[in-house]
Amino acid sequence: MSTATPQSDTRPAEAPTAAPPLRIALLGNPNTGKTTLFNRLSGLRHKTSNFPGTTLEARVGRIRVVVPADGAAPAVERAAEIIDLPGIYSLELDQLEAETCRAVLAGRAAPRGQPVAEPSALCVVADATNLPRSLMLVGEALRRRLPTVIAINMIDLARRRGIHINPAALEQELGCPVVCTSARTGEGLAELELAFARAAVPRQTPPGAEAGLRAWADTLYAAAAAGEPDQDADTLTDRLDRAFTHPVLGVAVFALVMAGLFWTIFILADIPTQWIEAVFGAATEGVRAVLPEGVIADLAADGIVAGVGAVVVFLPQICLLFFLIALLEDTGYLARAAFVVDRLLRPLGLPGHAFVPLLSAHACALPGIMAARAIPDRRERLATILVAPFMSCSARLPVYILLIGILFRDRPAMAALAFVGCYGLGIVAAAGSALIARRTILRGASRPMALELPTYKRPSLRTAAMTTWDRAVVFLRKAGTNIMAISIILWWLGAYPHVPPPADAVNLREAAVAAAPAEAEQLVQEADRLEAAHQKANSFAGRIGRTIQPIFEPLGYDWKLTVGVITSFAAREVFVSTMAVMVGGDEEDEQVLDTIAAAQRDDGTPLFTPAVCWSLLVYYVLAMQCLPTLAVTAREAGGVKWALLQLVWMCGIAYLAAMLAFHLAS
Amino acid sequence: MERGVQQTRTSPVALSLSQLRPGQRGIVRQADVAGDDAALLRAMGLCCNAKVRLCRAGEPCIVSVVTGNGAGCRIGLARPLAEKILVDPE
């Protein structure tokens, strides 16, 4: 089979542990199953980082390559690293992905944490169902004169379409190993691993000019493939596309699929989320039981354990979302979804790809922003990341429930309308902001859609699980550490400095000692609440709240509401528990809404007037009050400045809109 | 669009991709698309002499690129691009 000449760097090493690992770069068109192939080869033995100076994902996997016996030298196993390069249509394109591939192949760049050096071999992943186009990329790659292996992937799909490919003929012609594989079924993978050891510098250098290269690829294809000429009607794909890309039916199918997706996440993520909350709740108590009361116990329990909990609690949603999206993508449907909604989003300066991130943001902005990676154009991706947090996430729900409950008590129809209005306001703000961003800071012609619609196929659970694993690890390692640090700082601001209990509380406790047991318990509870409220009011957060209250005066908020707004930066739902502590009542208590609703200002007038409720509602719909989101924005957008812009823009809009709402409703 | 209309009056009859009927085949003659987009479209397979079939008309449209012996791919195209690709219909 082999006509290839082994290269110096594939010669068997006497002491394999001493030899540096082989570095094999995986190059290929999008939709060729390159990532599935990578997952098959490396399994979980891989690290995900990014290419320096970019947010392009770089995955490096560890595999073993068997170098066969060569004369006197016995066969040895060598460690090898495979680098998954971004999928590109051509190495010569003027885009970040292609530039990154060029740099890696030339030894000018490497994934973060890897030594910058030319790869020792190049594996070009070609698409067996569209080999003439893949051969164009093969030709460009061969011009790099690196030891090369060609994997013709998706051979099972090609066979089903009646396309026959003769790898031996290609190997003969090119002078480097050519292997037919199916990453989905595992076919040909053992052969591919063996071929890595035979990677050879190609015998010929294809023409550099595009026309010449195309003629070269066509000639090569004619010599190596046979099939029905001009038979392009893939009937199943045709039939499915007729439904899925139909202007009306397609949108309906899309709506159904998305509803199913989020319903599944809503139902399923809730269960592990509750477990996680229970586990961390128990852990907090456990820490308190073990450690002596004091600063260390407070830090460990309320700072660190609760901080870790604040990170981990997002995991179920993130994992489920990415698992389901990866499955949908693998079937080929997701490209159709982007196709269908492109027309709807285009007027806002956003592509069809932005829909999934924006919809995901309704559950939680974090996975939504992470899902924006699928958007190819940088400006469109940034615009999507910037506006995604306007979508009403589930953390806003407790606040909506509280405020709408106060506004429309016993009027469920009006309450439902107000809920819809909150979601609508968020969507309108996102649409308007996207429009403005795309005409100012992210100006640039909207790239008209040119989107490949891959062949439909059965999805690989393995690939989906691997993608999910990657996203979870990235989230925990990169965003998680920031989120935890932020949680600890916010806890500290809310809990310190410790102040002596107020006189009222001391008096109540003294009274409790003398009172009957039933009454004493009540008195102690009231004393606890007074102490907690006093502590909150005099903590750093409370002091900040009092200091900046004048800023929120035009919105109708007193200092207690200001403290609630400030503490909401840890997570919006904290508003409800903060208000419960500030004005009295227990969060667990079913009467908590009544207690909060009856809260009074320091001068004795009611606090939650309709005008204040509307103002708060509008503020919570629009304001950026989620530091974890800012941490993820900074990471995914590639700079803190984007997070700051998001914060200033959203809070600015929220402030003005809330002020307007307050004055209109007054 | 004007360009496509003008071309229909000349011989051989060249249409823009967006003027093909659903299911109609053609051969790409010219892609008058601006810089980056042209290179991307060519790299995706929509180059001169490529055989194409319009799978779905409208905005956006779907075109199937046939590269011989049953190989090929489908590309979803926005109208601004489809209008600028001239084809000789079969």
Side-chain angles (χ1 to χ4, degrees):
Chain A
M1 172 115 180
S2 170
T3 54
T5 44
Q7 290 304 296
S8 58
D9 56 1
T10 60
R11 222 157 257 158
E14 286 290 85
T17 44
L22 293 168
R23 301 177 74 223
I24 304 164
L26 276 186
L27 179 74
N29 285 160
N31 304 312
T32 50
K34 185 168 61 69
T35 298
T36 310
L37 188 70
F38 176 93
N39 287 336
R40 272 278 184 175
L41 290 172
S42 68
L44 283 177
R45 297 179 306 275
H46 75 261
K47 280 183 294 195
T48 304
S49 63
N50 49 322
F51 289 102
T54 73
T55 49
L56 290 180
E57 204 162 74
R59 303 194 307 149
V60 180
R62 278 177 292 133
I63 59 169
R64 308 293 297 178
V65 170
V66 179
V67 181
D70 179 18
V76 288
E77 248 193 14
R78 262 187 85 175
E81 282 171 348
I82 46 176
I83 304 169
D84 192 14
L85 294 174
I88 51 166
Y89 285 106
S90 161
L91 271 171
E92 313 301 336
L93 287 179
D94 187 17
Q95 47 164 224
L96 182 65
E97 288 81 357
E99 167 54 31
T100 303
C101 291
R102 288 196 291 270
V104 172
L105 295 188
R108 282 186 281 115
R112 203 179 289 281
Q114 293 280 310
V116 177
E118 230 179 48
S120 42
L122 172 61
C123 174
V124 190
V125 184
D127 175 359
T129 65
N130 194 10
L131 197 51
R133 186 177 77 188
S134 291
L135 284 174
M136 292 286 289
L137 186 64
V138 168
E140 290 172 358
L142 294 186
R143 287 179 57 77
R144 262 61 186 177
R145 311 298 300 156
L146 287 165
T148 304
V149 174
I150 294 158
I152 301 182
N153 197 28
M154 308 214 285
I155 193 71
D156 52 334
L157 285 183
R159 223 177 272 137
R160 214 173 303 153
R161 281 208 217 164
I163 302 169
H164 298 283
I165 291 162
N166 180 355
L170 277 175
E171 181 158 336
Q172 183 82 38
E173 194 66 37
L174 299 174
C176 57
V178 178
V179 181
C180 287
T181 60
S182 167
R184 215 157 51 93
T185 64
E187 179 186 340
L189 293 185
E191 208 186 328
L192 180 64
E193 280 176 352
L194 285 174
F196 284 149
R198 303 191 281 120
V201 175
R203 197 176 294 133
Q204 47 171 289
T205 306
E210 201 180 305
L213 187 62
R214 201 169 292 283
W216 175 87
D218 288 346
T219 314
L220 203 59
Y221 183 67
E228 301 283 318
D230 276 2
Q231 182 245 320
D232 68 322
D234 180 347
T235 49
L236 177 67
T237 301
D238 258 341
R239 263 177 286 155
L240 288 177
D241 270 356
R242 222 166 290 151
F244 291 166
T245 64
H246 189 275
V248 180
L249 187 59
V251 174
V253 169
F254 174 74
L256 266 180
V257 169
M258 287 298 136
L261 180 81
F262 288 99
W263 184 78
T264 313
I265 293 173
F266 202 72
I267 298 291
L268 291 185
D270 204 36
I271 301 162
T273 302
Q274 282 176 4
W275 291 344
I276 289 171
E277 281 172 349
V279 165
F280 278 91
T284 307
E285 282 174 19
V287 167
R288 286 213 170 279
V290 171
L291 292 176
E293 211 166 296
V295 180
I296 307 252
D298 284 352
L299 172 70
D302 297 334
I304 296 174
V305 175
V308 174
V311 174
V312 178
V313 82
F314 289 114
L315 261 189
Q317 282 193 33
I318 287 180
C319 289
L320 256 173
L321 177 75
F322 283 107
F323 184 74
L324 294 176
I325 286 183
L327 281 185
L328 272 184
E329 184 172 15
D330 213 16
T331 58
Y333 176 73
L334 217 53
R336 273 74 182 182
F339 176 90
V340 165
V341 285
D342 192 80
R343 203 173 26 155
L344 307 179
L345 288 177
R346 200 48 82 178
L348 305 176
L350 297 177
H353 291 96
F355 198 89
V356 170
L358 292 181
L359 195 59
S360 313
H362 279 100
C364 173
L366 270 67
I369 289 171
M370 287 171 76
R373 287 183 182 190
I375 300 171
D377 184 85
R378 180 180 155 271
R379 291 195 195 93
E380 292 173 343
R381 185 168 59 240
L382 285 172
T384 309
I385 291 174
L386 285 180
V387 306
F390 272 122
M391 302 303 176
S392 287
C393 62
S394 50
R396 285 170 170 102
L397 270 178
V399 184
Y400 292 179
I401 292 170
L402 171 72
L403 295 171
I404 293 176
I406 296 173
L407 274 171
F408 298 111
R409 171 165 302 215
D410 304 324
R411 279 185 289 166
M414 287 303 287
L417 209 62
F419 265 104
V420 173
C422 288
Y423 280 83
L425 178 62
I427 293 169
V428 168
S433 301
L435 255 179
I436 293 171
R438 292 287 282 125
R439 289 191 181 175
T440 53
I441 46 164
L442 296 169
R443 195 204 307 266
S446 206
R447 287 287 285 267
M449 176 177 59
L451 173 72
E452 184 169 359
L453 304 174
T455 313
Y456 288 103
K457 55 182 191 290
R458 197 159 40 81
S460 150
L461 287 176
R462 197 190 174 100
T463 300
M466 224 69 98
T467 308
T468 309
W469 170 261
D470 271 0
R471 289 287 185 275
V473 169
V474 166
F475 171 73
L476 285 181
R477 195 168 347 123
K478 298 292 169 54
T481 41
N482 288 342
I483 295 172
M484 197 179 114
I486 289 163
S487 303
I488 292 176
I489 292 170
L490 282 171
W491 157 78
W492 181 78
L493 287 176
Y496 283 85
H498 279 317
V499 286
D504 294 357
V506 176
N507 292 342
L508 280 175
R509 280 191 207 286
E510 281 168 3
V513 176
E519 200 185 339
E521 198 178 332
Q522 263 187 354
L523 290 174
V524 170
Q525 271 181 5
E526 180 57 14
D528 284 349
R529 190 194 70 71
L530 282 176
E531 265 178 39
H534 184 70
Q535 173 61 38
K536 267 249 150 78
N538 288 286
S539 67
F540 291 119
R543 290 177 198 190
I544 294 170
R546 281 174 201 261
T547 313
I548 67 167
Q549 187 270 335
I551 298 177
F552 285 98
E553 183 67 47
L555 277 55
Y557 309 164
D558 74 340
W559 69 269
K560 282 180 272 191
L561 282 179
T562 308
V563 174
V565 169
I566 300 275
T567 51
S568 290
F569 271 101
R572 292 178 176 93
E573 62 268 35
V574 169
F575 177 77
V576 179
S577 58
T578 303
M579 290 320 292
V581 170
M582 298 292 290
V583 304
D586 185 351
E587 205 196 340
E588 314 281 296
D589 190 350
E590 283 180 13
Q591 305 301 310
V592 66
L593 287 189
D594 295 337
T595 320
I596 295 179
Q600 294 178 340
R601 288 173 188 266
D602 288 347
D603 62 8
T605 55
L607 179 54
F608 285 96
T609 59
V612 167
C613 286
W614 282 118
S615 163
L616 269 174
L617 203 52
V618 168
Y619 190 81
Y620 271 82
V621 170
L622 299 175
M624 163 44 74
Q625 290 175 293
C626 178
L627 285 168
T629 299
L630 290 175
V632 172
T633 293
R635 186 186 139 63
E636 295 293 317
V640 176
K641 64 176 179 183
W642 296 108
L644 288 176
L645 175 67
Q646 194 174 49
L647 174 70
V648 171
W649 175 254
M650 289 182 68
C651 287
I653 300 237
Y655 185 85
L656 294 175
M659 188 158 70
L660 188 67
F662 180 65
H663 286 285
L664 285 180
S666 286
Chain B
M1 194 68 195
E2 304 85 79
R3 180 186 294 272
V5 173
Q6 278 167 15
Q7 291 281 341
T8 57
R9 302 211 177 98
T10 61
S11 186
V13 189
L15 296 175
S16 82
L17 202 49
S18 55
Q19 289 172 309
L20 288 185
R21 281 177 282 109
Q24 196 179 8
R25 287 156 196 269
I27 293 174
V28 176
R29 281 293 161 237
Q30 192 190 334
D32 193 11
V33 182
D36 288 355
D37 286 330
L40 177 66
L41 288 180
R42 284 203 307 274
M44 289 176 91
L46 271 173
C47 52
C48 271
N49 297 323
K51 291 183 181 173
V52 293
R53 178 171 65 96
L54 193 70
C55 299
R56 171 174 290 286
E59 158 69 343
C61 65
I62 300 179
V63 57
S64 168
V65 184
V66 194
T67 39
N69 285 342
C73 65
R74 286 164 175 254
I75 299 171
L77 273 188
R79 193 192 291 274
L81 294 176
E83 273 172 355
K84 295 202 171 111
I85 297 171
L86 297 185
V87 293
D88 281 343
E90 268 183 18

